[in-house]
């Protein structure tokens, strides 16, 4: 019986294997039979199963082993220890002089004098894990480039270096692949409501920490992105593809995109010449196989952090492909059922067409890049701003993170040898950096620093500004005259933190980004940590030193562990977090409170839980998980919302709720949360979770609600205008100024009252009825950068961005906006961390009538 079964299986596999080439590459010509097709290697037909990442890697390594046309490099590893690979396809001759080719290619970028150097392009697949057709297409493409003896393919390999990242998001892709495979039925079920097609929360789109990797090319928060960016800049290709999937009832999309959403800092030639030209190649290829498609009506190329746009900021052409998704092996649509194989074929064809078009349009691509650098040099020269100077002397961690990011994008950074003043701001020697604009990657510098780039469109697929200097909230100035640059730097090295042993007290300031990491380290090792709720000055080793609100005090005597153990743990905390911890010999301060003051509070260690699961925004939750995991080394319970009813929540002193519907919490669950709050719990809400808490009557704080008193409208518009008119009212993401109460525990460790926050939602609070409890208030002219509809401005200005509401002994800390946006908002991260570490110590002062 077993034997017969095997025989049948083999026959089926062979049938599939024979049918596959006809379906995917019917006009392929002669293929080298020594190279196994993906289906021969994997033992199933492409499109009949979702290929696991490890199998994909194995296949690429097999090609590398069998062929002198392929080299596979391991460029890194994901959080879940999956290998990130990059494959290089070129002729054997070119392989022998690969490094020489790379250098010649890079050397000719500015002049375009590389007509005789092989053209370097890159194909990138599957950035969103549950858009799986493209990695399967990568397997077919790799096979084709390795095995094809067709004269056209040989010419490609002779005249090009084709780089390939077959799977940009291995962790997310495997999450989805396993889901689709484990629910696959025989015969397959096309009903969209079958479990195969309805992945559970958070889905495979994201990486390990539930981040969207198709925003991270610019933000470079994750190791996968850092590895990929290093490889990108090592080669700096002329073309980069980015393959996606969209709704099952759609067709296929390729560039050109929406012309009104072109990035105004990128020369027009790309949009006006390259995209329309390549569009013709894509259309012809898809016409040939009968596939339907659309162009121009959607998808913007404004944001520099998409896989299809990042390269545009380096004079290359990024191409976006969007395929209707079968999300599973076959799914019903409004026409005929969509098969996985069909979706793979469109991706395969568009990838190969990119190779074909790139070589055919080589002269155009070379011209575009040299023109890009010429025009970028000219605008840098004409720029009124000659350089950007920045740095926070009180927060070397945050400053270093920003410099590291600039270096990742190959922006030249110089140190500053003398302390200087600009616009009333002091920039300290050795803790300040300068970025002159007269350098090749000027366009990227604009994206990082400029807040006021204006766009013609008012409909945004995503954010309308991304000025990173504001995300890091670093003191900076635009220099219009001579630049006091020192040495060009290749990295920021911080001096190792050494702590002197104290028999009395250890002290550190809260202004460094890593201060909370140090607090958690100390608390988790059993050290009693106190905080000064008022500033003080003291003398340390003969030098006067001022410590701001919230500074940390560790008394050697008021501890349950020995002075030796304290010294050991304090030294470790200093080393791990790279912050300066001081030894102090006297509690009698030169100004401000003394170290034993009544304003010194013993901090409670956060025992935190965050509700996750169906109905909760995965990226907001993931950002918090990533922050605590990667930057603090602090555990956080991620409790599935369905377990809330049966959980003993009294073991947590802090609960975090990010945006979500929370419909899974019924009245009993809500009452349970309310009781926990009344008994002293700290509830931190982000964005719409605050609206939920207010609707449940958790506090008396109020939301800004739309004005319903206006009389009925008599206006009338055309039906077709609704998309534009209503879409323009949305807040895709802009940067606003708030006035922060830096004397409030939520504002501790922040030097300036005016800080930048990122807002991409409509949650806004009225200032608290308690005059001490509006922690952050949007200023009257709050827009720093990005798009804003007039009606939204009216709602925002003067209202509250952060308020604290009391309920019994507990507090709700309401954040109208996401302080942890995409792991990049280092400035407002601190406010969230304060909520976590200081939430238990906030009073809502009683106001006398
Ligand atoms: Zn996508």
């Amino acid at each position: 019986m077993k034997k017969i079964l095997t025989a049948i299986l083999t026959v089926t596999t062979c049938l599939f294997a024979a049918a596959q080439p006809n379906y995917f590459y019917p006009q392929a010509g002669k293929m080298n039979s020594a190279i196994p097709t993906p289906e021969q290697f994997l033992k199933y037909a492409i499109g009949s199963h979702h290929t696991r990442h490890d199998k994909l890697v194995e296949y690429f390594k097999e090609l590398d082993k069998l062929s002198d046309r392929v080299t596979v490099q391991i460029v890194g590893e994901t959080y879940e220890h999956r290998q990130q690979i990059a494959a290089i396809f070129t002729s054997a001759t070119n392989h022998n002089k690969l490094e020489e080719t790379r250098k010649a290619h890079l050397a000719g970028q500015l002049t375009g004098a590389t007509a005789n150097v092989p053209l370097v392009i890159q194909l990138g697949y599957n950035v969103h894990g549950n858009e799986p057709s493209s990695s399967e297409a990568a397997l077919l493409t790799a096979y084709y480039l390795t095995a094809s003896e067709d004269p056209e393919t040989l010419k490609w390999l002779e005249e090009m270096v084709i780089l390939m990242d077959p799977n940009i998001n291995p962790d997310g892709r495997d999450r989805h692949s396993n889901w689709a495979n484990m629910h696959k039925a025989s015969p397959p079920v096309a009903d969209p409501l079958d479990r195969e097609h309805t992945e559970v929360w958070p889905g495979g789109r994201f990486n390990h920490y539930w981040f969207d990797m198709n925003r991270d090319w610019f933000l470079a928060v994750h190791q996968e992105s850092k590895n990929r960016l290093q490889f990108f800049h090592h080669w700096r290709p002329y073309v980069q593809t980015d393959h996606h999937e969209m709704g099952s009832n759609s067709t296929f999309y390729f560039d050109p995109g929406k012309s009104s959403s072109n990035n105004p800092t990128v020369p027009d030639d790309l949009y006006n010449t390259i995209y329309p030209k390549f569009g013709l190649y894509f259309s012809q290829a898809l016409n040939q196989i009968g596939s339907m498609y659309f162009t121009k009506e959607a998808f913007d190329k404004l944001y520099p952090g998409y896989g299809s746009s990042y390269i545009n900021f380096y004079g290359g052409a990024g191409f976006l492909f969007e395929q209707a998704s079968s999300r599973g092996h076959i799914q019903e649509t409004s026409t005929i059922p969509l098969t996985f194989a069909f979706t793979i074929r469109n991706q395969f064809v568009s990838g190969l067409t990119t190779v074909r078009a790139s070589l055919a349009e080589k002269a155009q691509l070379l011209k575009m890049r040299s023109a890009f650098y010429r025009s970028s040099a000219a605008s840098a020269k004409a720029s009124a701003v000659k350089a950007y100077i920045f740095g926070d002397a009180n927060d070397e961690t945050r400053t270093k993170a920003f410099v590291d990011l600039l270096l990742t994008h190959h922006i030249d950074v110089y140190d500053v040898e003398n302390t200087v003043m600009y616009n009333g701001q002091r920039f300290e020697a050795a803790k300040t950096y300068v970025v002159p604009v007269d350098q090749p990657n000027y366009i990227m510098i604009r994206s990082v620093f400029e807040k006021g780039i204006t766009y013609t469109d008012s409909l945004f697929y995503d954010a309308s500004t991304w000025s990173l200097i504001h995300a890091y909230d670093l003191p900076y100035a635009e220099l219009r005259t001579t630049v006091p640059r020192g040495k060009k730097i290749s990295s920021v090295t911080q001096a190792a933190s050494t702590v002197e042993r104290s028999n009395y007290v250890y002290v550190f300031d809260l202004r460094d980004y890593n201060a909370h990491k140090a607090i958690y380290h100390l608390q988790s090792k059993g050290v009693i940590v106190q905080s000064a709720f008022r500033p003080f000055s003291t003398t340390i080793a003969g030098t006067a030193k001022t410590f701001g609100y919230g500074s940390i005090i560790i008394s050697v005597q008021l501890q349950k562990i020995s002075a030796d153990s304290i010294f050991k743990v304090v030294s470790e905390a200093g080393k791990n977090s790279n912050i300066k911890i001081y030894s102090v010999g006297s509690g009698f301060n030169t100004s401000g409170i003394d170290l034993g003051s009544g304003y010194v509070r013993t901090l409670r260690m956060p025992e935190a839980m965050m509700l996750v699961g169906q109905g909760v925004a995965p990226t907001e939750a993931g950002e918090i998980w990533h922050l605590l995991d990667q930057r603090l080394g602090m555990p956080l319970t991620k409790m599935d919302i369905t377990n809330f009813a049966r959980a003993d929540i009294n073991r947590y002193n802090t609960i975090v709720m990010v945006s979500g519907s929370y419909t899974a919490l019924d009245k009993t669950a809500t009452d349970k949360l309310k009781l926990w709050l009344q008994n002293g719990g700290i509830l931190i809400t982000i964005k719409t979770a605050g609206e939920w808490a207010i609707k449940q009557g958790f506090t008396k704080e109020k939301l800004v609600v739309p004005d319903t008193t206006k009389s009925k409208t008599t206006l009338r518009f055309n039906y077709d205008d609704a998309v534009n008119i209503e879409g323009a009212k949305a807040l895709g993401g802009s940067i606003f100024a708030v006035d922060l109460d830096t004397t409030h525990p939520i504002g501790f460790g922040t030097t300036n009252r005016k800080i930048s926050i990122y807002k991409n939602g409509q949650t806004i609070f009225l200032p608290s009825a308690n005059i001490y409890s509006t922690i952050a208030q949007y200023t009257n002219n709050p827009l720093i950068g990005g798009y804003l509809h007039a009606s939204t401005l009216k709602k925002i200005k003067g209202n509250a961005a952060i308020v604290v509401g009391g309920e019994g002994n507990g507090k709700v800390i309401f954040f109208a906006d996401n302080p942890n946006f995409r792991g990049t908002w280092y400035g407002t991260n601190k406010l969230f961390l304060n909520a976590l570490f200081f939430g238990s110590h906030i009073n809502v002062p009683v106001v006398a009538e």
Side-chain angles (χ1 to χ4, degrees):
M1 184 67 194
K2 199 178 166 201
K3 252 185 193 155
I4 297 167
L5 251 181
T6 318
I8 293 171
L9 273 175
T10 316
V11 170
T12 326
T13 315
C14 288
L15 279 177
F16 259 122
Q20 292 256 296
N22 292 336
Y23 183 65
F24 290 114
Y25 21 83
Q27 283 137 23
K30 190 172 177 305
M31 303 296 269
N32 178 354
S33 59
I35 307 297
T37 65
E39 47 276 29
Q40 280 164 346
F41 183 83
L42 298 164
K43 311 264 188 306
Y44 55 81
I46 290 295
S48 68
H49 195 71
H50 285 61
T51 305
R52 282 197 336 243
H53 181 70
D54 60 323
K55 303 302 283 182
L56 177 145
V57 170
E58 262 179 49
Y59 182 66
F60 274 80
K61 287 183 178 169
E62 181 74 2
L63 296 182
D64 181 337
K65 200 172 83 191
L66 296 175
S67 169
D68 51 11
R69 292 181 186 182
V70 193
T71 306
V72 172
Q73 286 180 7
I74 295 159
V75 297
E77 168 175 284
T78 68
Y79 292 109
E80 295 175 16
H81 302 295
R82 291 186 177 85
Q83 284 184 344
Q84 283 180 273
I85 59 165
I88 301 170
F89 299 88
T90 192
S91 68
T93 326
N94 286 337
H95 258 108
N96 288 333
K97 47 172 188 176
L98 204 55
E99 186 56 12
E100 198 185 308
T101 301
R102 188 184 71 84
K103 283 183 175 150
H105 152 76
L106 289 179
Q109 303 278 297
L110 304 189
T111 56
T114 49
N116 299 320
V117 181
L119 181 73
V120 181
I121 70 163
Q122 175 155 261
L123 308 174
Y125 299 98
N126 223 136
V127 63
H128 291 140
N130 59 6
E131 300 174 3
S133 54
S134 69
S135 280
E136 307 288 338
L139 290 162
L140 294 170
T141 311
Y143 167 69
Y144 188 90
L145 294 174
T146 311
S148 168
E149 301 292 354
D150 191 82
E152 187 190 31
T153 314
L154 299 180
K155 184 176 154 72
W156 292 345
L157 296 166
E158 213 47 64
E159 297 183 22
M160 296 174 93
V161 174
I162 302 163
L163 312 172
M164 188 189 290
D165 184 341
N167 185 6
I168 295 175
N169 179 7
D171 292 348
R173 179 181 157 88
D174 265 6
R175 199 181 313 137
H176 172 264
S177 292
N178 289 336
W179 181 266
N181 289 338
M182 72 199 245
H183 294 102
K184 185 174 70 175
S186 178
V189 179
D191 180 350
L193 288 178
D194 185 76
R195 195 164 160 84
E196 180 184 341
H197 310 298
T198 54
E199 227 186 335
V200 286
W201 194 96
R205 177 182 177 89
F206 310 111
N207 80 338
H208 174 77
Y209 286 108
W210 311 337
F211 274 64
D212 186 336
M213 299 305 281
N214 197 35
R215 303 296 182 275
D216 206 44
W217 283 78
F218 184 48
L219 311 176
V221 168
H222 295 286
Q223 61 197 47
E224 296 101 302
S225 307
K226 287 175 190 160
N227 299 334
R228 187 168 60 252
L229 284 160
Q230 203 178 4
F231 185 78
F232 174 89
H233 284 292
H234 188 67
W235 278 101
R236 202 64 76 73
Y238 280 96
V239 164
Q240 170 77 49
T241 66
D242 190 26
H243 299 254
H244 292 256
E245 291 184 13
M246 54 187 168
S248 304
N249 284 314
S250 196
T251 57
F252 189 80
Y253 166 89
F254 55 82
D255 292 322
K258 254 173 95 183
S259 62
S260 55
S261 325
N262 298 340
N263 190 298
T265 67
V266 172
D268 283 344
D269 194 36
L270 170 71
Y271 306 111
N272 296 343
T273 313
I274 299 285
Y275 284 133
K277 209 161 217 173
F278 274 66
L280 284 177
Y281 289 89
F282 301 134
S283 64
Q284 280 159 11
L286 290 158
N287 291 344
Q288 243 172 45
I289 56 169
S291 288
M292 304 298 285
Y293 52 80
F294 68 94
T295 62
K296 299 185 279 283
E297 68 193 56
F299 304 113
D300 73 55
K301 293 210 183 292
L302 283 172
Y303 175 63
Y306 302 130
S308 63
S309 63
Y310 183 75
I311 189 174
N312 297 352
F313 295 76
Y314 294 92
F319 290 97
L320 172 67
F321 300 106
E322 293 269 358
Q323 164 64 47
S325 184
S326 61
R327 194 114 332 137
H329 297 86
I330 182 167
Q331 192 172 158
E332 289 167 8
T333 72
S334 66
T335 59
I336 57 167
L338 181 60
T339 66
F340 190 31
F342 178 83
T343 66
I344 296 165
R345 185 169 66 159
N346 283 340
Q347 303 277 23
F348 168 70
V349 166
S350 52
L352 271 200
T353 305
T354 307
V355 177
R356 179 173 297 125
S358 298
L359 191 59
E361 300 300 333
K362 178 177 179 180
Q364 201 71 40
L365 290 168
L366 263 50
K367 205 176 111 201
M368 174 183 66
R369 179 163 281 175
S370 60
F372 171 91
Y373 280 113
R374 262 201 317 278
S375 104
S376 142
S379 28
K381 208 169 172 193
S383 166
V385 177
K386 299 300 174 202
Y388 295 93
I389 189 166
F390 63 88
D392 187 340
N394 295 310
D395 189 350
E396 292 182 62
T397 303
R398 193 161 46 102
T399 308
K400 175 181 161 36
F402 185 66
V403 173
D404 286 345
L405 183 65
L406 296 175
L407 296 174
T408 298
H409 294 313
H410 284 223
I411 291 172
D412 296 340
V413 184
Y414 295 80
D415 61 13
V416 173
E417 283 153 6
N418 301 307
T419 298
V420 285
M421 295 287 295
Y422 284 103
N423 303 343
Q425 294 184 93
R426 184 184 156 88
F427 294 96
E428 269 188 42
K431 291 174 181 175
T432 296
Y433 300 88
V434 68
V435 172
V437 303
D438 60 336
Q439 49 175 305
N441 298 325
Y442 171 60
I443 302 298
M444 201 31 119
I445 295 174
R446 291 191 65 184
S447 302
V448 171
F449 285 94
E450 279 187 34
K451 58 188 183 199
I453 298 170
T454 37
Y455 307 107
T456 46
D457 206 353
S458 50
L459 295 185
F460 295 92
Y461 183 64
D462 199 270
S464 60
T465 186
W466 36 83
S467 162
L468 294 179
I469 188 80
H470 288 93
Y472 283 69
D473 209 38
L474 282 168
Y476 83 109
E478 297 172 346
L479 306 186
R480 278 149 208 277
T481 51
T482 358
V483 181
R485 70 172 83 163
K487 286 183 302 296
K488 187 167 151 181
I489 59 161
S490 56
S491 65
V492 178
T493 40
Q494 283 175 277
S497 162
T498 48
V499 182
E500 228 171 87
R501 193 191 150 98
S502 176
N503 289 321
Y504 189 59
V505 164
Y506 298 98
V507 173
F508 62 91
D509 202 277
L510 204 65
R511 283 176 284 195
D512 193 280
Y513 186 82
N514 275 350
H516 296 82
K517 181 181 184 172
I519 298 174
Y520 184 75
H521 182 89
L522 293 161
Q523 288 181 326
S524 67
K525 303 280 179 189
V527 175
I528 294 171
V529 177
Q530 298 185 303
S531 171
F533 275 39
R534 281 190 169 175
F536 60 88
S537 300
T538 184
T539 308
I540 296 168
T543 314
K545 190 96 189 112
T546 299
F547 291 88
Y549 281 99
S551 291
I552 298 302
I553 296 169
I554 300 146
S555 154
V556 175
Q557 195 186 76
L558 304 178
Q559 299 290 344
K560 293 175 186 158
I561 55 178
S562 71
D564 283 343
S565 303
I566 294 288
F567 176 56
K568 188 173 157 270
V569 177
V570 168
S571 300
E572 274 169 14
K575 210 169 137 199
N576 289 350
S577 54
N578 226 329
I579 63 168
K580 186 77 196 134
I581 301 180
Y582 299 91
S583 299
V584 178
S586 167
F588 190 61
N589 286 332
T590 49
S591 71
I593 59 169
D594 290 321
L595 297 185
S597 160
Y599 287 99
V600 173
R601 312 273 155 80
T602 303
L603 296 182
R604 189 162 79 162
M605 185 166 85
E607 299 282 354
M609 177 270 270
M610 172 169 64
L611 284 170
V612 300
Q614 203 56 48
V616 174
T619 52
E620 279 179 35
E623 285 151 6
I624 292 170
W625 176 22
H626 172 262
L627 173 70
L628 299 185
D629 237 47
Q630 291 286 319
R631 299 201 183 137
L632 265 79
M634 172 181 154
L636 167 75
T637 299
K638 304 180 294 298
M639 184 188 288
D640 198 277
I641 198 161
T642 53
N643 286 326
F644 183 81
R646 67 180 179 89
D648 171 15
I649 57 169
N650 291 321
R651 59 179 289 182
Y652 311 108
N653 54 36
T654 308
I655 293 177
V656 180
M657 292 174 77
V658 300
S659 287
S661 61
Y662 295 100
T663 44
L665 298 182
D666 60 9
K667 176 144 190 337
T668 317
T670 308
D671 287 346
K672 179 175 170 176
L673 186 59
K674 204 167 183 178
L675 184 66
W676 169 87
L677 191 61
Q678 277 165 343
N679 289 336
I682 301 300
L683 180 65
I684 303 173
T685 68
I686 310 287
K687 293 177 65 182
T688 65
E691 300 183 24
W692 179 87
I694 287 174
K695 278 174 201 146
Q696 305 309 317
F698 278 20
T699 77
K700 294 184 185 64
E701 301 308 324
K702 289 195 177 77
L703 292 160
V704 173
V705 286
D707 186 1
T708 49
T709 58
K710 268 190 259 163
S711 60
K712 262 196 181 155
T713 182
T714 51
L715 296 174
R716 179 168 175 256
F717 291 106
N718 282 344
Y719 177 75
D720 193 30
D721 292 334
V723 175
N724 286 331
I725 294 173
E726 297 310 310
K729 294 176 187 167
L731 188 58
S734 294
I735 300 174
F736 292 93
V738 297
D739 177 74
L740 176 73
D741 180 355
T742 52
T743 75
H744 191 281
I746 300 297
F748 281 179
T750 302
T751 314
N752 298 320
R753 282 188 75 100
K754 189 186 160 192
I755 64 158
S756 305
I757 58 139
Y758 186 79
K759 184 168 194 64
N760 64 349
Q762 298 285 351
T763 306
I764 306 159
F765 302 106
L766 286 173
S768 177
N770 185 301
I771 55 177
Y772 305 105
S773 292
T774 301
I775 319 306
Q777 183 175 27
Y778 302 105
T779 63
N780 276 328
N781 185 17
L783 186 68
I784 291 178
Y787 168 79
L788 179 64
H789 193 268
S791 63
T792 316
L793 172 66
K794 242 169 60 197
K795 279 195 273 182
I796 291 176
K797 63 178 187 181
N799 279 319
I802 306 173
V803 290
V804 173
E807 170 79 17
N809 292 324
K811 312 280 172 308
V812 187
I813 303 166
F814 294 96
F815 286 87
D817 306 303
N818 178 2
N820 309 309
F821 187 63
R822 290 185 183 158
T824 302
W825 279 74
Y826 275 68
T828 46
N829 272 163
K830 174 155 270 158
L831 311 182
F832 176 79
L833 293 175
N834 281 341
L836 212 53
F837 282 80
F838 291 87
S840 303
H841 308 283
I842 297 171
N843 290 322
V844 175
V846 177
V847 183
E849 295 296 321

